Amino acid sequence: MNAYITGPRLRRAATAALLAALPLAGLTACEEVDRSLAVTDPDIINPGDVNSAAAAEALRLGAIARLNQATSGGESFWLLGGLMADEWRSSDTFVQRDQTDQRAVEDNNANVSDAFRSAQRAFLAATIAGRELGDFEQPGWQVGEMHVIQAYIENLLGEHMCNGIPFSVLNAEGAEEYSPRLTTSEVFERAIAHADSAIAAASGDEADDERVRNAAAVMKARALVNLGRYAEAAAAVADVPTDFEIVNEHSQTSRSNQIWALNNSGARWTMSLGEGGNGLDFVVNDPRVPACRPSRTDEATVPAFLEPCPGGTASRPFDRATPVPFLVQQKWPERESPAAWVNGIEARLIEAEAALAGGGDWLGILNTLRAGVDGLAPLTDPGTAEGRVDLLFKERAFWLFSTGHRLGDLRRLIRQYGRAEDDVFPTGEWYLGASYGDDVNFPIPQSEHNNPQVDVPTDAPVCIDRNA
């Protein structure tokens, strides 16, 4: 018999010996066993352990990560908005994506519910982080950064959801504070207020303060444009540099760029060549929206200038049978491609729209932007009011491709410029044989029926006005 016992056998033997001795050892031995078993579980975080400045910083980083997921790092409204509009077509077998492409979205659509939830999580994370950063007197720009995220989400949801958006949060005691349905205008006014709070908080002289003020200025101006207050919007971004931007980072070990993942890699989305009569053709040899041709795409069905896609790109659409050509974007050509969620280019586009509304040099602003990109010739004045609006919104579409702006812009063409829905959105026969629906935005998800402030029957829509 072996004289030595090692590893698990030794532990079992020691435990057996200790338990055998307990009846003889009395209360003191029991107390020793209790202490030996009362180890700290490393997976449990006690509330007291997160009540610190370091914990507030962790919450700030978490809010930034949530924003990433709600934009380029998830199947967000950056994609879904473009699918309902004219940036993308569905090349998938999932009915949820087909519904969006067809403009006939049900309120139990899982993709829309996920995108809405991701946006709300980013908003909630920024709300909590901003409160904690303030409580621990962290730098003002950090508090301001959280207000910017709040303003960004309010703009994003105001542009994509139907009239009647809730923003429920947790209060300082950790209890739920359910939100009533807010009108679209109320949501944009909230975005302006959060942007102003960000500017006030980031009042220092550090580079981070300036970065946050610039981002807040663009968020404020975006909300003002959504409210039709163009001159105020232009004034808000007057000091924002054109080369300013804040980007989401992506990597294989954290979060992939999901536009790359769902188009270049997964082939579930394809770029639009001019959808439903009214849609823009985004594959027109424009360096702002580069594209390539997958190996199994029929060359006769796509523009001749397209180069073959690089290795590792999906060769054909996911559904294997989509009747529209499968085309791949190259704006973000890799899994790791960073994506800007706010930049100075948008500031200039806002100024151009204000100039067009006020009789200023809108064309000069657009041509100055174009002069910074090789391959873009100067624009000429179309000569009519309608043509000028068309040109401005086309420039916005190409500069801001798939960054969550296009659906809001189409809605503004109806709301602010008097266009008819059938002259703006894709119409007629949808590519799988049915007709397009009449959605111009997304329904509030069915899950919001659980919100007691919404207070609607289970079979009634949550929206105040489905297509407002």
Side-chain angles (χ1 to χ4, degrees):
M1 184 175 176
N2 245 330
Y4 300 97
I5 305 175
T6 59
R9 293 178 64 197
L10 176 59
R11 290 193 292 273
R12 288 196 296 270
T15 302
L18 177 60
L19 292 175
L22 286 179
L24 301 176
L27 182 61
T28 301
C30 289
E31 292 172 346
E32 291 298 326
V33 172
D34 285 343
R35 280 196 294 271
S36 70
L37 295 176
V39 296
T40 300
D41 187 334
D43 293 330
I44 295 177
I45 301 176
N46 296 314
D49 296 336
V50 297
N51 191 25
S52 66
E57 169 66 0
L59 290 172
R60 182 182 75 88
L61 297 177
I64 295 171
R66 290 290 194 190
L67 178 66
N68 187 312
Q69 184 179 10
T71 51
S72 57
E75 188 168 1
S76 69
F77 290 115
W78 280 28
L79 280 162
L80 294 173
L83 188 62
M84 178 174 283
D86 59 353
E87 293 175 323
W88 296 101
R89 304 299 309 273
S90 173
S91 54
D92 198 16
T93 57
F94 282 23
V95 67
Q96 292 90 347
R97 295 184 180 114
D98 287 346
Q99 282 182 1
T100 302
D101 193 21
Q102 193 184 357
R103 298 175 53 211
V105 184
E106 298 179 2
D107 64 4
N108 62 354
N109 185 296
N111 294 97
V112 175
S113 294
D114 287 348
F116 182 79
R117 187 177 299 112
S118 292
Q120 291 282 358
R121 284 173 172 169
F123 182 87
L124 175 61
T127 301
I128 295 172
R131 185 166 59 224
E132 294 299 314
L133 289 164
D135 287 347
F136 287 99
E137 300 182 348
Q138 295 305 288
W141 68 264
Q142 294 187 355
V143 177
E145 187 176 47
M146 298 300 99
H147 287 306
V148 169
I149 292 176
Q150 290 173 299
Y152 180 89
I153 296 298
E154 285 161 336
N155 270 311
L156 187 71
L157 292 183
E159 291 164 1
H160 286 82
M161 307 305 295
C162 70
N163 200 4
I165 308 169
F167 284 89
S168 299
V169 295
L170 298 177
N171 62 25
E173 287 72 42
E176 297 91 347
E177 287 187 353
Y178 291 102
S179 165
R181 294 174 290 175
L182 303 176
T183 66
T184 303
S185 295
E186 289 173 334
V187 171
F188 292 139
E189 292 287 358
R190 282 168 52 111
I192 293 170
H194 277 126
D196 282 338
S197 295
I199 293 168
S203 58
D205 298 326
E206 301 297 326
D208 283 321
D209 290 285
E210 183 179 4
R211 173 177 61 87
V212 170
R213 288 196 299 269
N214 284 335
V218 177
M219 290 305 105
K220 179 176 182 177
R222 184 169 173 175
L224 287 165
V225 165
N226 281 317
L227 291 169
R229 294 155 59 180
Y230 307 117
E232 292 176 70
V237 294
D239 295 329
V240 177
T242 303
D243 62 357
F244 161 73
E245 66 175 9
I246 303 177
V247 302
N248 289 331
E249 299 291 345
H250 299 290
S251 73
Q252 295 188 40
T253 56
S254 58
R255 186 174 293 281
S256 300
N257 183 314
Q258 287 299 302
I259 301 170
W260 171 90
L262 289 163
N263 174 228
N264 305 51
S265 179
R268 295 178 182 272
W269 302 67
T270 181
M271 296 178 69
S272 176
L273 289 169
E275 180 184 1
N278 298 314
L280 292 177
D281 186 347
F282 285 94
V283 188
V284 289
N285 206 17
D286 190 304
R288 295 169 294 182
V289 188
C292 64
R293 183 183 69 252
S295 59
R296 296 195 186 185
T297 296
D298 181 3
E299 294 186 28
T301 66
V302 300
F305 63 81
L306 285 180
E307 297 292 334
C309 291
T313 304
S315 62
R316 57 183 179 177
F318 183 83
D319 70 358
R320 301 294 191 265
T322 178
V324 294
F326 176 57
L327 299 173
V328 177
Q329 64 82 31
Q330 292 291 284
K331 182 177 180 178
W332 302 283
E334 300 175 350
R335 179 197 301 268
E336 299 87 356
S337 295
W341 58 270
V342 57
N343 60 38
I345 291 174
E346 184 174 356
R348 302 291 84 80
L349 293 169
I350 288 169
E351 289 176 335
E353 188 166 358
L356 178 59
D361 187 16
W362 65 278
L363 194 61
I365 297 172
L366 294 181
N367 280 332
T368 299
L369 272 181
R370 290 173 67 90
V373 179
D374 290 341
L376 289 182
L379 302 168
T380 58
D381 190 338
T384 67
E386 183 176 0
R388 289 165 184 152
V389 171
D390 288 343
L391 183 57
L392 172 71
F393 276 75
K394 183 177 181 180
E395 284 295 284
R396 284 183 57 88
F398 277 85
W399 281 114
L400 304 173
F401 175 76
S402 201
T403 55
H405 292 79
R406 184 60 175 163
L407 182 63
D409 277 357
L410 296 190
R411 294 176 69 185
R412 289 200 302 114
L413 282 170
I414 298 171
R415 186 171 69 245
Q416 297 172 354
Y417 289 89
R419 302 288 178 89
E421 177 186 322
D422 287 346
D423 293 331
V424 171
F425 279 86
T427 59
E429 184 177 343
W430 184 53
Y431 80 98
L432 289 180
S435 297
Y436 282 95
D438 61 358
D439 290 349
V440 298
N441 51 39
F442 292 98
I444 305 300
Q446 190 180 59
S447 57
E448 281 299 325
H449 286 288
N450 296 317
N451 179 348
Q453 289 282 356
V454 170
D455 192 27
V456 295
T458 56
D459 60 347
V462 178
C463 301
I464 295 173
D465 185 342
R466 178 72 173 82
N467 285 327

